[in-house]
Amino acid sequence: METAVHQDSLQVLARQLQQHLQSELAQPVTIQIQCALKQGVLMILGQHSPGINPPTPQSVFTLLEQTLESLQPDFSDSEFNHTVRLYLRVAGQKQPYASHSLTLEPTTPADLLEGDVGTSPNNSANTSHNFESTNALLDTEIADPPDLNDAEDNPFGSAIQPLTEPSDELVPTRKPSKSDQRTRLPLLVAGAGVGLFALAGVIYALTRPCVIGGCPAIATAQQLSQESAKILRTTKSGQEILTAQQKLETATQALAPIPAWSGHHGEAQTLLNTYQAQEQAIAQVVAAQNQAIAAAQKSQNPPHPLADWTEIQKLWRGAITQLEAVPKTSTAYPVAQKKLTEYRANLVMTNKRAKLEQQANATLAKAKSTAQVAEARQGIAQSLASWQLADATWRMSTNTLRQVPRGTMAYQEAQQLLGEYQPKILAARDRKTKEQLSVNAYRQAVNLARQAQSFEQQNQWSQAVANWRDALAAAKQVPTDSLFYNQAQPLISSYGNSLTEAENKLSLANILEGARADLRRTCAGSPRVCDFAVSLALIRVQLNPDHVRKLVRTAITAEANGDIGTQVDVRDHIQTLEAALEAISENANIAIELYDENGSLLGRYVPSLAQ
């Protein structure tokens, strides 16, 4: 267990290391130092807040090593074996992210007489170095690092607290080590060396900023803070925000070197804390602005894929989150609120574009899927219904493609697909039309043939011939390569034969009708001359009894009266009737028979073509 004396010496050593480190670093960074002695090893922990970027671990360790070599700490009555382990850690983390080990060579009286307060060449040569570069620390873990938050392994006690004001003791009184007690050089020489170290420490402490006299650094920092706030109140560009941030950074850099023993330290720390908080708020605005710039640049020249719009959404949301975290008490709050309005509006527009692209992708996918179904149906179509279904599916796909909104990536692909699908769509449409014509023509031919047969049964040969002609024409209209083409070919042959037969029968019917008309004219009179019956085999004509009686009476009277003229007229009438009947027989090419009023055959005439 460490004694109270050791604890005091360790605290003084920690303050000296921190003060020297603070004054020598190129950039003002607050690194709190705490020392502990465990199992003869001096352990030194440097800790800084997460938001601060310290120099490289190697530079920090080099400064600490040089300071240790100049101070040559010693702890009387202890088991200090001159081994030192240095650690750097981020506040709140268990493990250090960098470590360094070294061995301090005890300083002899001869060395003190030479008056060297720094590291002698021999010491420097004998110091064991194992710096771990920043890149190496990112790739490998520190070998067996102590868990500095573990109560059993933590030699530093609780977490590091801010350093208290230093006591008047700036340099620990170096007590002779066991090796020094064995030396035979006068103690006066050793005391002189210690005095030189003390004097150097006093000079160092008095030359720190704001220790003697006034503190212009505070006034400078306040002026820079006011200028930064003014810029933020009137800023109109992102560059002005960066300028305000730089002014606050300069203000904090001016306050950071003011040591704890300065009379202005309290005021400086208050301002430093305030400015650092303000600087952090401005940094959030700058970070949000950078994300907004990235989002705006990525949004240029739309359309963009949905993945890009999703990334742009993330950038806008990140920028908004940064701005929402700016406290109301910050000077950057007004500009943050102004930009919040802009960024939220941009996020709304981005959300709309993303949603539009998402809907367009869904519509495009639906159209593609429908096209695949249409292509499959077209490949297996074997009927009019199947071709109608394929054509309807293609029309559904194209209509869906036309619904893809303009201004999207999917629209460009939709237009390309419309061009690719067009030949297949036209092929399906033409085939459907051909099959429709095929079905219509076939059905019309069958219906007309059925009507023609009905007219034939009624001996209406004119109508029968007309229907057979139309049926034959319809059957010939069935397109080749259509599903009904093969079925239509037998109909064409059958309907042609039926048409020829009907035409022949129509011709005969016309002949019979002509004979009947001629007979009606020949047999007309008062009283009627004759009656007739016409068939394709025979024309039968029978004299009317009234006409025969009249003709006989006239002939008898004319003969009794010696009326030669009347007798000639009777003979001419009979000859004219016979000639007319013979002509009718010749025209109809049908034999004709003449019967008297009693039904007795008077004569028969056979036409010349029938003989």
Side-chain angles (χ1 to χ4, degrees):
M1 181 179 293
E2 298 173 354
T3 64
V5 175
H6 294 161
Q7 290 292 349
D8 293 340
S9 299
L10 290 171
Q11 292 178 5
V12 172
L13 177 60
R15 284 197 294 271
Q16 290 174 335
L17 291 174
Q18 179 167 334
Q19 293 163 4
H20 187 265
L21 186 64
Q22 194 69 35
S23 64
E24 294 298 331
L25 288 176
Q27 56 184 117
V29 176
T30 301
I31 300 180
Q32 297 180 345
I33 302 296
Q34 192 166 3
C35 300
L37 191 61
K38 183 177 181 180
Q39 297 178 355
V41 177
L42 177 59
M43 304 180 71
I44 301 175
L45 172 65
Q47 179 171 279
H48 60 82
S49 62
I52 295 179
N53 296 322
T56 62
Q58 181 175 350
S59 63
V60 175
F61 290 151
T62 299
L63 291 173
L64 290 175
E65 181 179 351
Q66 291 174 354
T67 306
L68 286 169
E69 290 174 349
S70 64
L71 294 177
Q72 281 295 318
D74 191 12
F75 306 95
S76 60
D77 301 328
S78 68
E79 296 179 358
F80 177 46
N81 58 12
H82 298 280
T83 299
V84 182
R85 292 182 183 175
L86 306 176
Y87 301 97
L88 282 178
R89 182 177 73 175
V90 177
Q93 301 292 327
K94 290 184 177 183
Q95 298 290 340
Y97 64 82
S99 68
H100 173 55
S101 298
L102 61 98
T103 300
L104 293 177
E105 293 295 334
T107 304
T108 63
D111 295 329
L112 295 177
L113 286 174
E114 294 176 0
D116 292 334
V117 296
T119 303
S120 65
N122 292 335
N123 289 341
S124 177
N126 294 331
T127 303
S128 62
H129 296 276
N130 63 341
F131 286 114
E132 299 182 9
S133 65
T134 303
N135 292 333
L137 289 172
L138 293 175
D139 299 331
T140 61
E141 295 182 356
I142 301 171
D144 298 328
D147 187 346
L148 300 182
N149 281 353
D150 193 334
E152 295 182 0
D153 295 335
N154 185 4
F156 303 104
S158 60
I160 294 179
Q161 302 297 326
L163 294 177
T164 58
E165 292 295 325
S167 63
D168 293 337
E169 183 183 10
L170 298 177
V171 180
T173 302
R174 186 178 187 278
K175 296 182 180 181
S177 64
K178 294 179 181 180
S179 61
D180 292 338
Q181 292 174 357
R182 289 194 295 265
T183 184
R184 296 183 180 181
L185 292 177
L187 293 177
L188 180 59
V189 177
V194 175
L196 290 175
F197 286 119
L199 179 59
V202 171
I203 294 173
Y204 169 80
L206 294 176
T207 56
R208 295 298 87 197
C210 299
V211 174
I212 301 175
C215 190
I218 291 179
T220 300
Q222 290 175 332
Q223 178 63 30
L224 290 171
S225 173
Q226 293 173 0
E227 293 175 359
S228 174
K230 182 178 180 181
I231 292 174
L232 292 175
R233 285 194 300 269
T234 60
T235 181
K236 294 182 180 179
S237 67
Q239 186 59 43
E240 291 179 344
I241 297 176
L242 293 176
T243 301
Q245 183 186 31
Q246 291 170 358
K247 287 184 177 294
L248 271 183
E249 289 178 355
T250 305
T252 57
Q253 290 171 2
L255 295 173
I258 299 175
W261 56 86
S262 169
H264 301 278
H265 178 73
E267 181 183 2
Q269 286 300 309
T270 300
L271 293 176
L272 184 61
N273 292 335
T274 300
Y275 296 165
Q276 286 177 341
Q278 297 290 358
E279 184 182 348
Q280 182 179 2
I282 297 176
Q284 289 174 315
V285 175
V286 172
Q289 184 174 262
N290 290 336
Q291 288 184 303
I293 291 173
Q297 291 175 345
K298 204 171 186 63
S299 302
Q300 291 179 355
N301 301 320
H304 300 297
L306 180 60
D308 288 358
W309 287 119
T310 302
E311 183 62 27
I312 295 169
Q313 283 178 314
K314 292 180 180 178
L315 290 171
W316 284 122
R317 292 190 185 110
I320 291 171
T321 301
Q322 290 279 4
L323 295 176
E324 288 175 342
V326 175
K328 293 183 179 180
T329 56
S330 171
T331 54
Y333 182 77
V335 68
Q337 292 300 305
K338 179 181 178 182
K339 289 188 175 295
L340 262 177
T341 302
E342 298 174 4
Y343 295 175
R344 284 169 177 164
N346 291 336
L347 177 59
V348 169
M349 293 301 299
T350 302
N351 290 341
K352 290 181 179 179
R353 293 303 297 263
K355 184 177 181 181
L356 184 66
E357 194 68 47
Q358 185 177 19
Q359 293 174 344
N361 287 343
T363 303
L364 180 63
K366 180 180 179 181
K368 286 181 177 179
S369 177
T370 306
Q372 291 176 349
V373 175
E375 197 166 8
R377 288 173 173 173
Q378 184 173 347
I380 62 174
Q382 294 295 329
S383 64
L384 174 60
S386 61
W387 281 109
Q388 289 174 333
L389 183 59
D391 177 65
T393 308
W394 275 120
R395 282 188 281 108
M396 185 184 302
S397 176
T398 55
N399 291 338
T400 305
L401 286 175
R402 292 188 179 97
Q403 293 174 7
V404 176
R406 292 178 178 270
T408 62
M409 292 292 291
Y411 176 80
Q412 299 175 0
E413 186 176 355
Q415 296 304 304
Q416 180 180 355
L417 290 176
L418 279 173
E420 294 177 0
Y421 293 164
Q422 194 63 25
K424 299 176 182 179
I425 296 171
L426 292 177
R429 187 174 302 168
D430 291 345
R431 186 59 185 270
K432 182 205 72 171
T433 302
K434 178 183 289 187
E435 294 301 333
Q436 186 69 61
L437 291 174
S438 172
V439 170
N440 292 342
Y442 182 85
R443 290 176 178 173
Q444 185 179 18
V446 171
N447 290 334
L448 288 170
R450 188 178 297 112
Q451 293 175 8
Q453 292 172 347
S454 176
F455 285 128
E456 285 182 345
Q457 293 173 359
Q458 301 173 26
N459 291 323
Q460 297 180 6
W461 295 108
S462 295
Q463 291 87 341
V465 168
N467 277 34
W468 281 122
R469 286 174 180 168
D470 292 341
L472 180 61
K476 291 180 178 180
Q477 288 177 358
V478 175
T480 57
D481 299 330
S482 66
L483 297 175
F484 279 91
Y485 178 77
N486 292 333
Q487 300 180 45
Q489 296 311 300
L491 297 184
I492 293 175
S493 176
S494 174
Y495 293 174
N497 295 332
S498 297
L499 175 61
T500 301
E501 183 179 353
E503 288 175 340
N504 292 335
K505 291 182 178 181
L506 175 62
S507 176
L508 293 175
N510 289 336
I511 291 174
L512 294 178
E513 184 62 28
R516 291 189 185 93
D518 291 341
L519 289 169
R520 281 192 292 271
R521 286 192 296 271
T522 301
C523 293
S526 181
R528 182 177 179 80
V529 176
C530 57
D531 295 313
F532 58 87
V534 180
S535 68
L536 291 175
L538 178 67
I539 298 176
R540 188 176 186 282
V541 179
Q542 183 175 2
L543 295 175
N544 187 287
D546 294 337
H547 177 72
V548 172
R549 284 193 293 270
K550 179 181 178 180
L551 185 63
V552 170
R553 285 195 302 269
T554 301
I556 292 173
T557 301
E559 184 177 0
N561 295 328
D563 187 355
I564 301 300
T566 301
Q567 293 178 1
V568 171
D569 291 338
V570 170
R571 285 196 295 270
D572 288 343
H573 172 73
I574 294 173
Q575 291 177 352
T576 300
L577 177 62
E578 291 177 350
L581 293 177
E582 290 176 358
I584 293 173
S585 176
E586 289 289 343
N587 292 335
N589 195 28
I590 300 174
I592 189 169
E593 293 179 349
L594 180 62
Y595 292 89
D596 62 13
E597 70 278 13
N598 297 317
S600 298
L601 179 63
L602 295 176
R604 176 182 176 86
Y605 180 82
V606 178
S608 57
L609 292 178
Q611 294 177 1

